[in-house]
Amino acid sequence: MDDIKIGIVIPAHNEAMTITKCLASVQAAIEQLPSTITASVLVVLDSCRDDTLELVESVDVDYLCCDYQCVGQVRDLGIRHAIASGATWLACTDADSVVTPDWLIQQIAHVKDQPTDMICGVVSIDSWAHLTLQTREDYMAHYQDRMGHHHIHGANLSFSAEAYLAVDGFAPLECHEDADLVKRFESKGYAITWSNRVRVITSSRLQARTAKGFAAFLANLETNN
């Protein structure tokens, strides 16, 4: 485990408002790693028309540009590039999310404690201020913030390079590419850890980047209240 090479892949589509905080949090998590473990960051900019690229360049982070407008293709492009660059463990988050300082340390701890091929982490909401109390209550009633949960978030998903390639990676789906990948890991019998120790804080914005993503889920709760 000490020779693990972590590849952190972040898709971004017009995320100038959030990408700087995201990358700063990822860097803070990398700094918690022991010197025996290396980690690299790759942002995959998909059809960005704002200042996301300039902000990524300003912090000297590796990036790729594409025009897929398909999150499944974007994630797969980044993951395969990271694997080709030597990554053996992949950690995914999103440009509108902030990872906790122990995000990577907790992943490593899980793999050391009980070898696993994939870790599905949890998300916390960054702010409830603009949402109704009923939306918050409905969300909390639905969400299981505990070990053994069965929530799936592309913003907090990690896995081994070997297993990823064996299941043919993220499918070219515009949404639910994360759930599809988990399903194929399960169908092949790979070990999956459902952890609330691996955590990110994600945006509570209601302007969805994909039609059926997390923002759309929150927006639907809000609309129905």
Side-chain angles (χ1 to χ4, degrees), residues 87-105:
T88 58
W89 182 261
L90 289 308
C92 300
T93 192
D94 285 345
D96 67 341
S97 300
V98 173
V99 307
T100 59
D102 65 347
W103 183 58
L104 296 173
I105 289 290

Side-chain angles (χ1 to χ4, degrees), residues 3-174:
D3 61 352
I4 190 171
K5 296 182 179 179
I6 303 174
I8 301 162
V9 178
I10 307 168
H13 172 61
N14 293 336
E15 298 288 5
M17 297 295 292
T18 59
I19 190 68
T20 300
K21 286 185 178 180
C22 173
L23 293 176
S25 73
V26 169
Q27 182 57 40
I30 290 173
E31 290 172 357
Q32 300 297 315
L33 292 170
S35 59
T36 53
I37 298 177
T38 61
S40 59
V41 183
L42 177 67
V43 179
V44 186
L45 298 104
D46 182 27
S47 312
C48 288
R49 304 291 183 259
D50 63 358
D51 296 330
T52 304
L53 173 58
E54 288 77 6
L55 292 169
V56 170
E57 290 178 323
S58 72
V59 293
D60 194 28
V61 169
D62 289 338
Y63 65 87
L64 299 172
C65 294
C66 62
D67 192 21
Y68 292 146
Q69 299 185 49
C70 174
V71 67
Q73 286 181 279
V74 175
R75 290 196 197 277
D76 186 59
L77 174 66
I79 295 297
R80 291 183 186 277
H81 183 87
I83 292 173
S85 299
T88 58
W89 182 261
L90 289 308
C92 300
T93 192
D94 285 345
D96 67 341
S97 300
V98 173
V99 307
T100 59
D102 65 347
W103 183 58
L104 296 173
I105 289 290
Q106 290 291 352
Q107 293 177 41
I108 292 166
H110 276 305
V111 175
K112 284 185 174 180
D113 291 345
Q114 185 173 357
T116 189
D117 302 299
M118 172 180 276
I119 301 171
C120 296
V122 295
V123 300
S124 299
I125 301 296
D126 65 348
S127 173
W128 293 101
H130 59 291
L131 300 172
T132 64
L133 177 60
Q134 188 61 52
T135 292
R136 181 174 185 173
E137 291 177 351
D138 289 348
Y139 178 86
M140 298 304 290
H142 159 80
Y143 203 81
Q144 300 176 348
D145 191 339
R146 59 174 175 78
M147 293 297 294
H149 69 88
H150 268 66
H151 300 296
I152 300 171
H153 305 285
N156 196 5
L157 187 64
S158 53
F159 39 81
S160 76
E162 181 180 359
Y164 181 82
L165 295 176
V167 302
D168 295 327
F170 281 111
L173 301 174
E174 294 183 2

